[in-house]
Structure formats: structure tokens, C-alpha cells
Amino acid sequence: MHIPTWIWVVFWAVVLALIVVDLLAHRGRHGESHRAAVIWSCVWVAAGLLFNLLVWRVLGGHAAQEYLAAYFIEKSLSLDNVFVFLVIFRSLGIPAKAQHNVLFLGIFGALVFRALFIFLGAAALQRWSWVAYVFGAILLITAWRVFREDPSGQQENKAVRWLAHRLPVTHEVHEKKFIVRLADGRRVATPLLLALLGLELTDIVFAVDSVPAAFAVTQDTFILYSSNAFAILGLRALYLLLSGTVGQLRYLHYGLAGVLAFAGLKMVLEPWLHVTPLLSVAIIVTLIGASVVASVHAKRRDARLGRPPPGRGGEPERRGPGRPTEVEA
């Protein structure tokens, strides 16, 4: 469909304005309350849904339905990111007061990488129709992996472990600094930089899953990127909201696997079986909702029977190589 240039301008103006407001609202804070996380989560969700009203008004009802389906796919799959954030921050011992900067920069980087994946993917699909089957196969393989592996049981992040063995890293967190200078003059990375690079590398891997999943409902680059952007921008607030409880959602990965499998099958079977965007939304919400409800019921049952939560052996120990005494840069 033809996308007017001015709607791109409005999109970026809204995104940049919200980012500035978010930065100003959290400047100088040493943490964030649960109530603030709830409020900011609602703000980002409301912003994404309100923007869809503009999409509906300018591009029509079908485009608005595609936006809604792509938004819910990305929002659902972003729950997997929350698990990763939790593992990285806990394994590196990142305090709450320093997490906001890492999350902000990580999410900003994710916006750049998603744009690259979306525009390259759209160009590939337009030029080679068989790419849709490749995307579908990737989604089905990933769905099987997510189905078999419970991310809440992870004790460390593979990307962070790989980086820790290849970069000079200090084990101490120096307030909000990403690089510090040692007593001998050498500059080394802090756990904050390790966490940021780990978030970026992991998000690139996740983009290989979530971007093809969004292509299952639309191939319009504006719809894809705008819906992905609003879903991603709410990740920081979503993490702060769910960080204390997401590990208890033991069946959530089954719902995520279902969403990925649905998107994969939709791409592969699209020439013979068309699923409308609104029906896609209903299926996604049902899959995630059912997994959350099942997890809550299981938690209550265990509490009633006095059983400890499965696979919860306490927080993972702090990892990373030790270094000599440092002085801040």
C-alpha cells in the first residue's frame, strides 16, 4: 500500500517525544516502584494502540488489523526478552539503579537492528517468494526449541558468557559507568557494558524469530516497523513490571512456542489457507492467556500442597572474571 511520507514523520515524532519523556521522567532515579512500572507499561501500550487509530484513519481498517496482529505478536514474543534481561542482570549482579541505562540503550539498539531486519526481509520477500517458506521453517524450528526449553530455568546467558571470555572485564559495578581505568592504566569493561552487549546480541537472535513471525500477518514495512517499535519501546517497563514474577510462569514458554508455530504454519500455508489479522490476534491472545492461566493455577496448587516452585534454586551466582584493583575513569 502507498504510505504517505508525513505519517512516517508523525511516527518518528511520537516515538522521539516518548523517549525524551521517558528519559526525563527517570533522570536521577535509583530504582522504580511497582506502581510506576504499571503506569509506564500502560502508557506504552496505550501509545501503541492509539497510534493504531491513526493507521486506521489514514490507511484503512485492514491495515489497522494487520498492525494490531503484528503488535500482539511482538508484544507476546518480547516476554522471552524479559527472561533474558532477568538472567543477565542477576548473573552479573547489576543493581536496580543501574538497569535503566542498560535497558534504554539496549532497546534503542534493538530499534536499529529491527529496522535492518524488517527492510531486508521485506525486500527479500518481494524479490523471492520462496523466502516465505524459509521464514516459516525458521519459526517452526524455533517453536520446537522454545517448547522444549524453559527459559525461566536458565542460570546464565550464552552471549554474556562468550563475551566474558573475550573481553577484559572487571567484576565490580562502578555506578553507571561502562568502562573504567585500572590502577595500571588499562581500560576495561564493567559488567554494565557486558550486560548491554549481551542484550544487543540476544535481541539480534530474537529478531530472527520475531520479525519473520510479524511477516506472517503483513509484509508492509511501515506496519511492521511501527508496530514492532511500539512493542519494543515498552520492554523496559514490562521488565520492571514482571521481573519479580515472570520466573513463576512455568508454562509461558509453551504459549510462546504456540505463537511461533502458528506464525510459521501461517506463512507456509498462506497460499492455501488465509487467516485474517483479527483471527490471528484472537489465536495469539488465547495461546499466551492459556499458558499464563495454567501457570497461575499450578503456582496456587503448589502453594496449597506446600510444594516448592520447580527449578527455583535461588538467584544464580555472580559470574565474570575477577580483575585487579581499579580506579574509576
Side-chain angles (χ1 to χ4, degrees):
M1 67 184 76
H2 173 69
I3 306 297
T5 303
W6 67 265
I7 198 172
W8 275 107
V9 174
V10 171
F11 162 70
W12 279 113
V14 171
V15 167
L16 292 176
L18 288 172
I19 289 175
V20 170
V21 170
D22 183 79
L23 280 174
L24 293 176
H26 297 90
R27 184 174 54 184
R29 289 195 179 185
H30 298 291
E32 186 160 354
S33 66
H34 181 77
R35 180 173 177 271
V38 171
I39 292 174
W40 274 102
S41 293
C42 292
V43 167
W44 285 114
V45 171
L49 296 180
L50 285 174
F51 188 80
N52 194 29
L53 293 179
L54 177 63
V55 172
W56 173 78
R57 181 68 180 83
V58 176
L59 304 178
H62 186 72
Q65 293 176 28
E66 290 182 342
Y67 174 99
L68 195 64
Y71 176 85
F72 272 102
I73 283 180
E74 180 59 40
K75 202 68 175 176
S76 301
L77 297 180
S78 66
L79 293 171
D80 218 7
N81 294 65
V82 175
F83 282 112
V84 173
F85 295 168
L86 193 62
V87 170
I88 290 176
F89 288 147
R90 285 185 175 178
S91 64
L92 293 174
I94 307 296
K97 64 181 180 181
Q99 291 177 8
H100 179 268
N101 282 359
V102 177
L103 287 171
F104 173 79
L105 293 174
I107 290 170
F108 186 80
L111 288 175
V112 176
F113 288 120
R114 294 302 170 93
L116 182 64
F117 274 94
I118 286 172
F119 285 96
L120 288 178
L125 283 170
Q126 289 177 2
R127 184 167 184 177
W128 304 294
S129 59
W130 52 264
V131 172
Y133 299 105
V134 175
F135 283 175
I138 291 173
L139 291 170
L140 291 173
I141 293 171
T142 305
W144 176 244
R145 176 181 58 79
V146 173
F147 182 84
R148 294 180 59 190
E149 299 175 6
D150 182 358
S152 64
Q154 294 180 9
Q155 295 296 303
E156 63 178 351
N157 180 264
K158 293 180 180 178
V160 170
R161 184 175 60 188
W162 184 85
L163 289 167
H165 286 86
R166 287 161 177 79
L167 294 176
V169 183
T170 175
H171 66 284
E172 296 294 335
V173 178
H174 291 260
E175 297 181 348
K176 298 181 179 180
K177 294 182 178 295
F178 290 92
I179 297 176
V180 295
R181 181 168 53 86
L182 300 179
D184 60 7
R186 290 184 300 120
R187 293 183 181 275
V188 296
T190 69
L192 287 187
L193 181 60
L194 204 60
L196 176 60
L197 294 176
L199 291 183
E200 296 292 7
L201 288 176
T202 305
D203 185 74
I204 291 174
V205 174
F206 282 160
V208 176
D209 305 332
S210 62
V211 171
F215 273 117
V217 294
T218 181
Q219 295 181 17
D220 183 270
T221 52
F222 176 77
I223 299 297
L224 281 167
Y225 189 66
S226 58
S227 59
N228 264 249
F230 279 108
I232 291 171
L233 286 170
L235 262 179
R236 181 198 59 81
L238 184 66
Y239 164 76
L240 295 173
L241 177 63
L242 299 178
S243 58
T245 59
V246 71
Q248 301 171 14
L249 301 177
R250 69 184 74 170
Y251 300 131
L252 178 61
H253 65 290
Y254 294 130
L256 296 175
V259 172
L260 288 166
F262 163 71
L265 289 172
K266 188 176 185 303
M267 288 206 86
V268 172
L269 301 176
E270 182 65 25
W272 306 278
L273 179 64
H274 177 68
V275 181
T276 64
L278 283 183
L279 181 56
S280 299
V281 171
I283 292 173
I284 294 165
V285 171
T286 299
L287 289 169
I288 297 299
S291 64
V292 170
V293 170
S295 300
V296 172
H297 278 298
K299 178 187 175 184
R300 290 176 178 173
R301 183 185 64 245
D302 288 345
R304 188 170 60 252
L305 297 176
R307 298 174 183 170
R312 305 288 180 267
E315 291 190 8
E317 64 174 298
R318 197 165 171 173
R319 302 181 184 272
R323 288 290 181 271
T325 303
E326 308 95 357
V327 293
E328 294 187 6

